[in-house]
Amino acid sequence: MSDLTLYDTDSSEETEPSLTLKLEAATKWEAKLLAEPKNRLALAALSTHASTAILQKPSALLHDTHVFSDQIELEGTPVTNQRSSGRCWLFASTNVFRVPIIKKYKLTGFELSQNYLFFWDKLEKANFFLEQIIDTQEEDLDGRLIQYLLQSPVGDGGQWDMVVNLVEKYGLIPQAFYPDSFNSKSSGRINWLITAKLREAALTLRSLGVSSKSGELEKHKAKVLQEIYGILVLSLGVPPKPDDTFTWNFHDKEGKFRSITTTPLEFYKENTGTVSHGAGVIDGVLGGGDRGGVAERFSLVNDPRNEYNRLLTVERLGNVVGGRGIKYINVSTDVMKSAAIAMIKAQRPVFFGCDVGKFAEGSKGIMDTNLFDYELGYNVTLDMNKAERLRTGESSMTHAMVLSGVNVVDGKPTKWRVENSWGAESGEKGYWLMSDAWFDEYCYQVVTDPAFVSKEVLNVLKQDPISLPIWDPMGSLA
């Protein structure tokens, strides 16, 4: 039996331990709390205003200004907006991809179609889920694994390796050829509909079982995928195919007319070689390194629960069957920062993943562990470290953005410039500021080119990965 005791913390008063909450104890706590003038003032302020407005520290706001020692000269424009969707990883990745395209074609502004990748990701995730259901027929329906797989089979979120899978198979296309639809900007309804259909299909596939006639499972899966394809087409629009030809007409910043005829796959292959440093890979570990580009890059993560310089993977996490699996190199935050700084100095934007909801203020676009004084307002401190927050579910990777600047003083970073995808009204015309202390506590991932890490780090890619269960915090999708 639990020995949980609720009692008055004033040791001068005797209290009788109890397993239940006693009204007398709450009355004493209230009297003690409101005996302090500060707490009465806090009651008046915090019960009528947002705590984030009341408890902001002016000193942090004065310190958090957008002046950086190193900044990417050509930041992508216009500022993007994912609207009411969880597509941050697709916006962050395409915001990275577009910078060298803007430079190559001398554009004043440019966006790649996030909706194009969104469409094919949904369909691929549906297929990936159904294959997982077929592969786990021996598992208990009420067990943790199946219940977790059923939670969010086609959620909007994703990871870097999943982006690579999409662009390697489907390519990229300018936004003008497949712009956002209502349902890509507000994805909740189609997510519900597809998820309901997939859950229904999961029960049918499990009932057919491993003893079904040859091809029965595959036929039912194909039928379900056809229905989901129909939902996506009717909700997002008819998508271009990877080998469809399109002609892109535009004027560059000098007013010169340009016309390019290509396909999504060719457009990807012709332009992403400039995204990477092109240093190649070691012993062909990554693959796709013959032309440089997106496929060379990989994720550094900081997970203090696990040993550093170890390769991690997450079981049953992905989007494309037979595609690149999820892999992370677990390193210290110093290694992540070093790679990010080197990339920024080389004029390369950096995809990164973090827990954006902690110690952040959206309208000002500030992420700073010193931003709010919760002890002053609520008489409490928050003392868990990064590993403890991961272990208890207090923190995980929830959002992907782009690093485009850093302020370095005496060889150490003090703050970072962040390109978000929440519109120009958020932050400093769409750009956020992250303190270096916030990076330490709530940044989990930096995607790097192999040229910007040591050979010791690169060699980690040769290891057999440590497999984390799909419900592990490192399996969360940004």
Side-chain angles (χ1 to χ4, degrees):
M1 180 177 290
S2 170
D3 61 353
L4 172 65
T5 303
L6 294 172
Y7 59 90
D8 192 325
T9 56
D10 188 347
S11 58
S12 64
E13 297 183 23
E14 293 186 4
T15 34
E16 183 179 345
S18 173
L19 293 177
T20 60
L21 176 61
K22 293 186 175 181
L23 185 59
E24 311 92 86
T27 302
K28 290 180 180 179
W29 298 338
E30 178 184 311
K32 184 176 180 181
L33 180 72
L34 298 182
E36 294 287 335
K38 176 185 79 72
N39 291 332
R40 296 197 298 273
L41 178 62
L43 172 63
L46 296 172
S47 63
T48 55
H49 298 78
S51 63
T52 51
I54 298 298
L55 302 178
Q56 282 183 24
K57 293 184 180 179
S59 58
L61 297 178
L62 290 172
H63 179 264
D64 291 334
T65 58
H66 281 260
V67 180
F68 303 90
S69 62
D70 298 274
Q71 187 171 328
I72 292 172
E73 294 177 7
L74 185 61
E75 292 177 319
T77 56
V79 170
T80 56
N81 194 337
Q82 67 190 76
R83 307 290 178 179
S84 299
S85 74
R87 299 175 292 162
C88 58
W89 63 297
L90 296 176
F91 277 76
S93 55
T94 52
N95 285 345
V96 167
F97 302 157
R98 69 175 173 167
V99 169
I101 295 173
I102 291 172
K103 184 175 182 179
K104 178 179 178 179
Y105 296 110
K106 300 179 181 179
L107 304 173
T108 54
F110 176 72
E111 276 191 71
L112 290 159
S113 173
Q114 303 91 3
N115 196 31
Y116 177 69
L117 297 178
F118 186 63
F119 182 102
W120 293 115
D121 179 63
K122 289 290 185 196
L123 191 61
E124 289 284 359
K125 279 177 177 169
N127 182 60
F128 191 90
F129 168 78
L130 294 173
E131 283 298 317
Q132 295 295 310
I133 292 300
I134 292 171
D135 186 56
T136 55
Q137 290 185 58
E138 300 300 324
E139 296 282 340
D140 183 1
L141 176 62
D142 296 318
R144 186 174 189 180
L145 175 58
I146 301 302
Q147 287 300 305
Y148 193 91
L149 291 174
L150 290 167
Q151 277 184 19
S152 183
V154 290
D156 289 354
Q159 263 298 342
W160 175 260
D161 291 313
M162 295 161 72
V163 173
V164 173
N165 286 336
L166 293 174
V167 295
E168 286 283 303
K169 185 171 181 178
Y170 296 101
L172 294 167
I173 194 166
Q175 190 190 58
F177 292 95
Y178 197 60
D180 270 0
S181 73
F182 173 86
N183 288 292
S184 60
K185 291 185 285 188
S186 182
S187 58
R189 183 55 55 178
I190 63 166
N191 284 343
W192 164 77
L193 182 58
I194 295 172
T195 296
K197 189 64 192 176
L198 286 173
R199 288 170 176 162
E200 178 182 275
L203 293 177
T204 302
L205 289 172
R206 286 175 63 87
S207 68
L208 288 172
V210 292
S211 61
S212 62
K213 294 180 181 179
S214 177
E216 246 187 290
L217 289 172
E218 290 74 14
K219 286 179 182 177
H220 187 72
K221 190 189 93 166
K223 177 179 179 293
V224 173
L225 287 175
Q226 181 179 359
E227 292 175 336
I228 289 171
Y229 183 81
I231 294 171
L232 291 170
V233 167
L234 298 174
S235 301
L236 304 179
V238 178
K241 310 306 183 292
D243 294 321
D244 284 354
T245 298
F246 67 90
T247 299
W248 179 33
N249 297 321
F250 61 94
H251 288 92
D252 64 21
K253 64 181 179 181
E254 297 170 354
K256 182 180 178 181
F257 175 78
R258 303 280 299 275
S259 182
I260 296 171
T261 299
T262 185
T263 69
L265 271 176
E266 288 172 352
F267 188 74
Y268 161 67
K269 293 175 181 178
E270 290 164 358
N271 290 292
T272 57
T274 57
V275 175
S276 176
H277 191 271
V281 294
I282 55 168
D283 300 333
V285 166
L286 287 175
D290 56 334
R291 65 171 183 274
V294 171
E296 285 187 6
R297 294 190 175 186
F298 55 89
S299 295
L300 304 175
V301 297
N302 177 243
D303 177 2
R305 302 170 306 159
N306 288 296
E307 183 182 352
Y308 291 154
N309 289 331
R310 291 300 306 270
L311 189 64
L312 307 177
T313 188
V314 181
E315 298 171 354
R316 301 187 180 277
L317 184 64
N319 60 345
V320 176
V321 173
R324 177 164 156 174
I326 303 298
K327 288 188 178 178
Y328 304 129
I329 299 179
N330 193 31
V331 297
S332 67
T333 53
D334 286 342
V335 172
M336 286 206 308
K337 291 176 188 179
S338 176
I341 291 170
M343 288 185 69
I344 291 169
K345 286 180 178 290
Q347 296 297 301
R348 287 163 177 79
V350 182
F351 179 108
F352 80 106
C354 65
D355 187 359
V356 74
K358 305 297 192 298
F359 290 91
E361 206 288 322
S363 62
K364 294 182 176 66
I366 295 175
M367 298 172 287
D368 188 338
T369 54
N370 196 42
L371 185 57
F372 305 118
D373 194 340
Y374 288 110
E375 184 176 6
L376 175 65
Y378 291 106
N379 309 300
V380 297
T381 59
L382 299 173
D383 300 320
M384 283 193 289
N385 60 34
K386 195 172 190 177
E388 290 167 339
R389 287 192 292 270
L390 284 169
R391 288 192 173 103
T392 58
E394 171 56 23
S395 185
S396 64
M397 204 175 339
T398 61
H399 192 50
M401 296 182 283
V402 177
L403 296 172
S404 64
V406 62
N407 192 59
V408 179
V409 178
D410 297 328
K412 299 289 185 180
T414 63
K415 57 185 176 180
W416 302 77
R417 180 168 167 85
V418 176
E419 179 183 2
N420 203 350
S421 55
W422 289 352
E425 295 75 25
S426 174
E428 180 76 16
K429 298 180 180 179
Y431 285 83
W432 284 39
L433 185 146
M434 173 174 63
S435 74
D436 192 61
W438 197 95
F439 188 117
D440 287 332
E441 298 298 327
Y442 297 107
C443 186
Y444 290 103
Q445 174 191 31
V446 161
V447 173
T448 183
D449 184 287
F452 299 107
V453 295
S454 68
K455 189 171 183 180
E456 178 186 11
V457 171
L458 283 175
N459 280 329
V460 175
L461 290 167
K462 298 178 180 180
Q463 296 178 6
D464 292 328
I466 297 171
S467 291
L468 305 174
I470 191 171
W471 50 80
D472 188 89
M474 297 309 291
S476 63
L477 297 178

